[in-house]
Amino acid sequence: MLLHLMTWIEVEEYLKRSPGIILPIGSTEQHGPTGLIGTDAICAEAIARGVGEATNAIVSPTISVGMALHHTGFPGTMSLKPSTLIHVIQDYLVSLTRAGFSRFFFINGHGGNVATLKAAFSESYAYLWDLNIPNSDKVRCRLANWFTCNSVYTLAKQLYGNQEGSHATPSEVALTQYLYPEAIKQAPLAANVASGHPIYGATDFRRRYPDGRMGSNPALAKPEHGQKLYEAAVKEMSQAYLEFLHTE
C-alpha cells in the first residue's frame, strides 16, 4: 500500500489494525562512471515497496535527497545539510504521529544518512514529547539499512569478494540494473580504484576518489544478481519489520 495512492479514509481504517509505516530514504548522488545518480533512493524505494507488499504495511513517499555533501564535487549530486535532514524527519514524524502512527521503519539506502538519522530520532523523541502530541511516548523509530542485511552482505561477498567496496558497489548497481534494465550504463573503469581514505569535504573526496568509486568494481554487476539481492533484502527486512511492530 503506497500512502500517496490511498485516501485518508483508507489510512484511518489501516490505523485501526496497525501503527506501522515504512519510510524509504536514500540519496541523489554520484555513483561512479556507471552507477545511476538515484541509486540509493531507487534501491530503498524498491525494497520498501517489496516489504510493504509482503507485510501489508503502508509505504510512505521516498525521501530521495539525503546527506551527501561529500559527493557534491560531482555534477548531479544533490544534498541536504544534516541539520536540514533532521528537521525534515521531525516534520514527517510530527504529521504521522498526530495521525496515529507510532512505529516508523526507515529503510535506508545511503550510508551517509546513518549518523544524521540516528541524531534525528533522538531529537524527534524529545520534540514530540515537548509538543504534547498524544501517545508520543509510544513512538519508536528503526533504522534499517538494506545493504547491511546479513543475507545481502553474505551474497555480495560471494558474488564480488573484496571488489564489493563501499560506494558505487556492484551489489547496488546490480539492483538498479534489475529494476531499470533500460538504464544500464557502460563506461571505462580504471583497474586501480582508491579505497580506505577518510571522508572530509567534497573537494578532498573527489581528489582522493577521482571517479567516485570507493574500492568497488561495478563492472561485475549483473541484473540477475540484482534480483537475488532484492529478494534477500525483502525477505530479511520483512521479518525485521514485523518484529519491530511488536517492540515495547
Side-chain angles (χ1 to χ4, degrees):
M1 292 178 291
L2 303 180
L3 181 64
H4 63 285
L5 298 182
M6 299 175 70
T7 68
W8 70 266
I9 296 173
E10 291 174 315
V11 175
E12 191 168 70
E13 285 299 312
Y14 170 89
L15 285 165
K16 292 177 182 178
R17 63 176 176 80
S18 176
I21 185 168
I22 298 168
L23 300 97
I25 180 169
S27 184
T28 299
E29 65 184 41
Q30 69 83 20
H31 271 77
T34 59
L36 305 180
I37 286 175
T39 291
D40 290 344
I42 289 168
C43 294
E45 179 174 276
I47 292 167
R49 291 186 177 192
V51 173
E53 183 175 351
T55 62
N56 201 26
I58 288 179
V59 179
S60 82
T62 303
I63 304 173
S64 296
V65 178
M67 207 305 287
L69 292 174
H70 49 294
H71 290 295
T72 53
F74 295 85
T77 295
M78 300 169 64
S79 181
L80 300 178
K81 293 180 293 186
S83 55
T84 304
L85 183 55
I86 288 173
H87 286 302
V88 168
I89 298 301
Q90 283 183 340
D91 287 350
Y92 271 49
L93 295 181
V94 167
S95 300
L96 293 169
T97 301
R98 281 182 171 146
F101 292 95
S102 62
R103 292 293 184 273
F104 301 99
F105 193 76
F106 287 78
I107 293 185
N108 178 45
H110 173 48
N113 287 337
V114 171
T116 301
L117 284 174
K118 289 181 178 180
F121 297 165
S122 295
E123 289 206 22
S124 295
Y125 295 139
Y127 187 59
L128 292 168
W129 177 260
D130 289 343
L131 291 177
N132 292 316
I133 297 176
N135 296 317
S136 61
D137 61 314
K138 295 182 173 61
V139 168
R140 302 288 183 270
C141 298
R142 175 69 58 84
L143 174 59
N145 303 309
W146 78 268
F147 48 88
T148 61
C149 288
N150 288 333
S151 56
V152 170
Y153 179 84
T154 299
L155 181 56
K157 284 299 181 183
Q158 291 173 351
L159 292 170
Y160 313 121
N162 60 9
Q163 296 187 77
E164 166 71 352
S166 57
H167 181 66
T169 64
S171 60
E172 60 185 346
V173 170
L175 182 47
T176 64
Q177 290 179 344
Y178 166 61
L179 297 169
Y180 291 95
E182 73 279 11
I184 294 175
K185 310 295 183 181
Q186 303 292 337
L189 296 174
N192 296 322
V193 56
S195 64
H197 300 297
I199 297 176
Y200 298 109
T203 300
D204 183 74
F205 185 95
R206 181 149 186 181
R207 178 177 63 83
R208 294 176 184 272
Y209 301 102
D211 72 354
R213 293 180 295 153
M214 299 177 70
S216 64
N217 182 9
L220 300 176
K222 296 180 180 180
E224 54 266 34
H225 296 167
Q227 181 176 1
K228 292 179 180 179
L229 291 159
Y230 168 81
E231 292 170 352
V234 168
K235 181 179 180 180
E236 185 169 332
M237 299 201 105
S238 295
Q239 182 62 38
Y241 172 73
L242 292 174
E243 291 174 357
F244 171 61
L245 282 183
H246 299 98
T247 58
E248 292 295 331

